[in-house]
Amino acid sequence: MVKLRLKRCGRKQRAVYRIVAIDVRSRREGRDLQKVGFYDPIKNQTYLNVPAVLYFLGKGAQPTGTVHDISKKAEIYKELRVNQTIRVNQTKGGLHI
């Protein structure tokens, strides 16, 4: 199973985090499948690669609590819902939004 979680980077007392897609059996600093974002809690900056996040969420990846909150603030789930609606309507024969 794949999870979207934080991977710690930076130096002592100045942590920054990468948001990565990683196998659930890997440890926090283990090898990731893909880097999908960046989070700096000190400067309160966030960068998300939205297509990559949507891809992994569409494939069933589970975000951790913190990544879920970051994604919620970035309104990722609204885009995921819109994409799912479009996909369902396309399979029914027409494109209705």
Side-chain angles (χ1 to χ4, degrees):
M1 184 164 108
V2 176
K3 279 200 171 237
L4 296 176
R5 65 183 184 196
L6 298 175
K7 187 174 184 178
R8 191 177 196 277
C9 302
R11 63 177 200 240
K12 208 177 347 177
Q13 301 294 321
R14 296 284 298 168
V16 292
Y17 298 92
R18 288 186 183 141
I19 301 169
V20 297
I22 194 167
D23 185 37
V24 75
R25 295 168 290 189
S26 297
R27 53 188 200 162
R28 182 183 73 180
E29 308 305 331
R31 185 171 177 181
D32 52 76
L33 300 173
Q34 184 177 355
K35 295 173 184 75
V36 296
F38 173 83
Y39 173 59
D40 186 354
I42 296 168
K43 295 180 182 176
N44 201 17
Q45 292 179 336
T46 305
Y47 168 76
L48 290 173
N49 183 351
V50 177
V53 172
L54 291 176
Y55 170 78
F56 283 108
L57 288 174
K59 294 291 183 180
Q62 296 295 314
T64 59
T66 307
V67 174
H68 177 77
D69 293 342
I70 291 169
S71 301
K72 198 172 181 181
K73 284 182 184 175
E75 299 180 348
I76 294 289
Y77 297 108
K78 287 182 181 179
E79 293 182 36
L80 181 65
R81 193 174 305 126
V82 169
N83 287 347
Q84 286 177 344
T85 305
I86 290 172
R87 192 175 323 134
V88 167
N89 288 335
Q90 285 176 346
T91 58
K92 289 182 179 177
L95 178 61
H96 306 293
I97 299 177

